[in-house]
Amino acid sequence: MSLYEKIVNREEKISLIGLGYVGMPIAVAFAKKVSVIGFDINEEKINLYKSGLDPTKEVGNEVIKNTTVDFTSDAKRLKEAKFHIVAVPSPVKDDQTPDLTPLKSASRTLGRNLTKGSIVVFESTVFPGATEDICIPILEEESGLKAGVDFKVGYSPERINPGDKVHTLENIVKVVSGQDDESLDIIAKVYELVVDAGVYKAESIKVAEAAKVIENSQRDINIAFMNELSIIFNKMGIDTKAVLEAAGTKWNFLKFSPGLVGGHCIGVDPYYLTYKAEQMGYHSQIILSGRQINDDMGKYVAENTVKRMIKANKQINGSRVAIFGVTFKENTPDVRNTKVIDVINELEEYGVEVLVVDPVADEDDLLNEFGIKLSKINDIENVDAVVFAVPHDEFKEIQLSDIKHFYRTNYSSLNIAAREVAATTEQAINNVEDGYVLVDIKGMFNRQEAENVGYDYWRL
């Protein structure tokens, strides 16, 4: 009987190593069909899962309560499984070079608990060659086993889009690869258990690794182009969104939009590819140029916010700005590598007090990683500018008229004498209206409507 058949018959188990935004949905999906051990070194996270809470918000508390995933932080339990999926983060260091620490650590932990006849599949983003040149030697060293003989290895890049309830594990074609034909066949069959869209068998592990990094590099470059267009059109006094809507009427125009590019994929993966290219003696031109543009957009947004405030006669040092949204993208609590932090840091360099509102963000991660404490929306008052950075669904319910209550210059916050003065002349009223600096990074609101009701509106 093959390993695949034993897994289907629940005679052997699958383990998921790393239960974050990627690993958890995979574990839950497989648990509907086979026996799954869910392992993570974070004991606190494991306890949350055991109590039926989903800190990632990827599958929801109800699903976690009812899943049959066997959650554990005991690495020795990995010996009970024969098919292992490694889905740990693969970030970059401060110098933008790959940080393989989590991947190496997971490989060591698994290696110490690896048994003969096992298959190990890595899902973490890596540069081509990392699985075979870095991970396999660690597994062999820790286990005392020989890859290709005592155990097999494969690579299947994760394609889950955090916060996306449409493009999920089940309906995205899964790229799979293996050390040899036998392992590739088993890996493909195992993933076909949960991936309704089917699998694509890559011809080698390196091909699968390369496919992953270019997927996000391509998207990164396209967004960088949109960001550069936004900078150019801003100088020309042209609305970028209006231009893109007009251009988008052509059938083959690629519909990307400008924005802050963060997170653990698009803002990171290109550096894995360029790092490997540098090792091979090639200096990337297009990829790194795109990265530079996208990495600078947080500063660009902050500078334009300050410029609008200056034009509105605001004293910058000591002013207050409210930022709505701090996660790396909408409708996910994930704050890893969020570029909203760049906006905040740059504003603070100008002496601005920044208040951050985000009903979705993981408060503990935000406080631990960035030292930022969230404010409640009801606490926002007397600010000099409002920045909508992330278009969470909750924010889309906010009306333009509601936003005015947050400002220092709206009538509700003016003292009685100032109100009387403002009411005496039309010019004074216009000056009050000029105080409503509204920065809408992703274009949540209608520009014309915002300007018609008195906002000094700006967006990418």
Side-chain angles (χ1 to χ4, degrees), residues 176-232:
V176 296
S177 63
Q179 239 178 330
D180 52 29
D181 291 341
E182 181 187 16
S183 59
L184 176 60
D185 182 61
I186 294 173
I187 292 168
K189 285 180 178 177
V190 169
Y191 275 106
E192 283 173 341
L193 289 171
V194 294
V195 181
D196 297 332
V199 301
Y200 176 87
K201 295 180 180 180
E203 67 177 47
S204 69
I205 289 176
K206 284 188 177 69
V207 166
E209 291 168 326
K212 169 59 180 177
V213 288
I214 71 162
E215 285 174 17
N216 284 326
S217 295
Q218 181 189 63
R219 185 165 177 79
D220 189 47
I221 291 166
N222 277 301
I223 297 173
F225 176 48
M226 296 297 115
N227 280 332
E228 188 167 60
L229 291 179
S230 176
I231 293 170
I232 294 169

Side-chain angles (χ1 to χ4, degrees), residues 262-376:
H264 62 288
C265 288
I266 300 179
V268 171
D269 294 2
Y271 287 123
Y272 274 74
L273 182 56
T274 57
Y275 171 80
K276 188 62 177 180
E278 291 275 3
Q279 287 188 328
M280 306 298 290
Y282 179 79
H283 179 74
S284 165
Q285 298 175 65
I286 293 176
I287 299 172
L288 286 180
S289 293
R291 273 285 74 231
Q292 184 174 350
I293 290 172
N294 288 340
D295 277 345
D296 288 344
M297 289 309 290
K299 182 179 180 181
Y300 176 74
V301 168
E303 288 174 346
N304 277 277
T305 302
V306 170
K307 287 178 182 178
R308 307 301 286 215
M309 291 169 66
I310 291 172
K311 289 180 180 178
N313 298 316
K314 305 288 185 182
Q315 180 177 321
I316 303 304
N317 191 5
S319 62
R320 288 157 57 91
V321 172
I323 292 185
F324 285 72
V326 71
T327 57
F328 89 89
K329 65 175 289 187
E330 62 270 23
N331 305 321
T332 175
D334 197 348
V335 297
R336 288 177 297 171
N337 194 35
T338 171
K339 292 304 177 182
V340 180
I341 295 299
D342 294 349
V343 180
I344 295 170
N345 291 340
E346 190 67 19
L347 287 173
E348 289 178 342
E349 286 288 320
Y350 284 96
V352 175
E353 178 188 355
V354 180
L355 308 174
V356 180
V357 177
D358 197 317
V360 178
D362 188 308
E363 293 190 46
D364 291 335
D365 284 353
L366 194 62
L367 188 61
N368 294 335
E369 191 167 345
F370 302 108
I372 292 176
K373 189 173 182 180
L374 292 174
S375 299
K376 301 296 183 184

Side-chain angles (χ1 to χ4, degrees), residues 74 82 197 411:
D74 180 4
K82 272 290 195 288
Y411 290 130

Side-chain angles (χ1 to χ4, degrees), residues 5 46 57 61 87 90 97 141 158 160 172 248 253 265-266 277-278 283 293 302 307 326 347 361 403 423 426 453 459:
E5 292 172 313
I46 291 297
K57 298 184 180 179
N61 295 342
S90 46
T97 58
E141 181 183 355
E158 56 90 0
I160 292 174
I172 304 172
F253 185 81
C265 288
I266 300 179
E278 291 275 3
H283 179 74
I293 290 172
K307 287 178 182 178
V326 71
L347 287 173
I403 301 170
E426 185 177 345
V453 294
R459 68 184 176 207

Side-chain angles (χ1 to χ4, degrees), residues 387-421:
V387 178
F388 278 88
V390 185
H392 292 313
D393 287 344
E394 287 90 334
F395 294 157
K396 292 178 181 177
E397 298 175 4
I398 298 175
Q399 302 297 312
L400 282 167
S401 56
D402 298 330
I403 301 170
K404 285 194 175 181
H405 299 298
F406 302 136
Y407 291 84
R408 189 191 305 274
T409 53
N410 69 38
Y411 290 130
S412 64
S413 65
L414 288 171
N415 59 41
I416 295 174
R419 285 187 220 175
E420 291 175 350
V421 172

Side-chain angles (χ1 to χ4, degrees), residues 239 241-242 245 388 396 398-401 403 438 440 442-459:
D239 184 75
K241 188 173 184 179
E245 286 174 350
F388 278 88
K396 292 178 181 177
I398 298 175
Q399 302 297 312
L400 282 167
S401 56
I403 301 170
L438 177 59
D440 182 14
K442 293 292 290 182
M444 280 177 53
F445 301 103
N446 181 284
R447 171 188 285 276
Q448 196 63 54
E449 290 178 7
E451 291 177 344
N452 285 346
V453 294
Y455 287 101
D456 181 358
Y457 181 89
W458 184 88
R459 68 184 176 207

